[in-house]
Amino acid sequence: MYLPIDLHTHSTASDGSLTPQELVAHAAAAGIKTLALTDHDVTDGLAAATAAAEKEQIKLINGIELSVSWRQRTIHLVGLNINPDHQPLQDVLTKLRTFRNWRAQEMGRRLEKKGIPGAYEWVSSRVRGEILSRTHFAQFLVDAGKASSVNDVFKHYLKPGKPGFVPGEWTSLEEALEVLIGAGGQVVIAHPARYKLTMTKLNELIDDFRTGGGHGLEVVSGSHSKDDSYRMAAIVKKRGLLASAGSDFHDPESPWIALGKLPQLPDSCRAIWHDWDFN
Ligand code: AMP
Ligand code: MN
Ligand code: MN
Ligand code: MN
């Protein structure tokens, strides 16, 4: 039995390839009954997704994936059941989008210096929402024939130390937690195994996260192996955290896990949705 819940997905409001309406229809067809739309640093898709979910008779959770800088690393937090009208949250989102716009122009300049012109123009003319993401630059580079897959582009152009990578500061962990919790949300660390932190560092991240009021970890994730999930399940149990599950779905063509195929949480976990009202 797959989970009928998916609490981490993207639409064209950020770097996904389906509109919020298409995403909801796709999720409903895949057997999902509770879906969180968690676009990067933007809440613009939520209204359309909610309307579509009513039609499909599934439950839409207002979510977001926030980009955070913690000790020189980028960490993603997923906020669930947030009120998108919370002004301090929107103020942080505006700041993040301003940084993204500057970063995208800088990525364009850096790629041009490496003999690849036109990236910023291509990306800004094709993006459907307000978010300029590395995913869009990856699509440009594949389209320009610079690499054979998006994954390849990240490896050669967009990872730290590569020509198209622009370092910078997102929002702080403390501020992210403050505005997400202020917006009434529950907060989980997205795909915690993906950061490749040592146990010591991961525990330090969790210490800071808990101090700021954070609630849980994504135990089941489209980018976790089975082992990763069991490791994270042991950590949530030990630290008294809640467990979340999300595919991190972006695109039906991509090799990440398909919608509706998330495995159940390990038995030892307390699900973040254990006290949600499903009526
Ligand atoms: P950004 O937030 O603009 O820095 O872009 C990060 C996004 O890039 C992530 O949310 C993923 O969707 C995508 N991404 C990161 N690494 C990879 C990868 N190796 N292959 C494909 N997509 C990736
Ligand atoms: Mn993404
Ligand atoms: Mn992420
Ligand atoms: Mn994501």
Side-chain angles (χ1 to χ4, degrees):
M1 266 293 283
Y2 297 115
L3 266 182
I5 292 184
D6 190 333
L7 300 179
H8 186 156
T9 63
H10 297 275
S11 76
T12 47
S14 67
D15 61 348
S17 67
L18 301 181
T19 63
Q21 293 91 329
E22 289 165 346
L23 172 73
V24 167
H26 203 72
I32 289 169
K33 305 281 184 230
T34 303
L35 177 75
L37 176 61
T38 58
D39 274 309
H40 298 282
D41 306 329
V42 76
T43 57
D44 295 350
L46 295 177
T50 301
E54 265 169 39
K55 272 198 207 130
E56 300 283 352
Q57 297 191 314
I58 70 172
K59 171 128 180 102
L60 196 282
I61 303 291
N62 280 337
I64 191 158
E65 182 172 17
L66 263 195
S67 310
V68 166
S69 292
W70 179 79
R71 303 199 190 168
Q72 261 79 54
R73 296 164 203 271
T74 298
I75 303 290
H76 288 170
L77 295 187
V78 163
L80 299 167
N81 291 308
I82 53 158
N83 167 17
D85 296 329
H86 183 59
Q87 195 52 46
L89 171 63
Q90 290 300 335
D91 292 345
V92 166
L93 300 185
T94 303
K95 194 174 73 177
L96 286 169
R97 288 198 295 267
T98 305
F99 169 64
R100 281 184 175 278
N101 281 329
W102 170 83
R103 180 184 73 150
Q105 290 173 43
E106 182 62 20
M107 284 169 80
R109 285 191 286 270
R110 290 187 187 200
L111 288 169
E112 183 157 12
K113 272 197 202 136
K114 292 281 166 192
I116 308 171
Y120 176 76
E121 293 70 21
W122 190 95
V123 164
S124 48
S125 71
R126 283 182 130 240
V127 148
R128 308 268 293 269
E130 301 288 321
I131 287 291
L132 299 174
S133 150
R134 277 187 294 159
T135 305
H136 300 116
F137 281 83
Q139 289 159 355
F140 163 77
L141 287 160
V142 171
D143 188 76
K146 299 296 172 190
S148 56
S149 70
V150 165
N151 202 22
D152 241 29
V153 184
F154 271 91
K155 213 158 59 195
H156 298 295
Y157 291 94
L158 300 177
K159 289 215 160 148
K162 298 297 172 184
F165 182 80
V166 178
E169 281 281 311
W170 303 104
T171 190
S172 68
L173 181 62
E174 208 181 357
E175 183 175 53
L177 285 162
E178 188 183 319
V179 296
L180 290 172
I181 294 167
Q186 289 174 293
V187 189
V188 298
I189 299 176
H191 41 65
R194 237 169 80 180
Y195 311 117
K196 307 267 181 259
L197 300 172
T198 60
M199 239 357 249
T200 310
K201 273 272 166 329
L202 181 57
N203 273 318
E204 288 171 8
L205 171 62
I206 292 172
D207 289 342
D208 290 354
F209 176 72
R210 295 209 66 161
T211 302
H215 301 86
L217 304 184
E218 277 183 358
V219 168
V220 162
S221 160
S223 52
H224 281 179
S225 67
K226 237 186 170 152
D227 267 11
D228 291 335
S229 294
Y230 282 111
R231 226 155 32 87
M232 295 307 149
I235 293 171
V236 293
K237 182 157 192 224
K238 185 159 175 212
R239 310 277 325 241
L241 290 161
L242 297 170
S244 189
S247 60
D248 204 1
F249 177 88
H250 285 73
D251 177 2
E253 310 287 311
S254 85
W256 301 23
I257 197 163
L259 277 182
K261 299 279 190 218
L262 284 179
Q264 302 284 332
L265 290 172
D267 285 342
S268 59
C269 293
R270 172 169 265 231
I272 191 147
W273 58 84
H274 77 276
D275 62 351
W276 291 3
D277 176 10
F278 285 99
N279 298 314

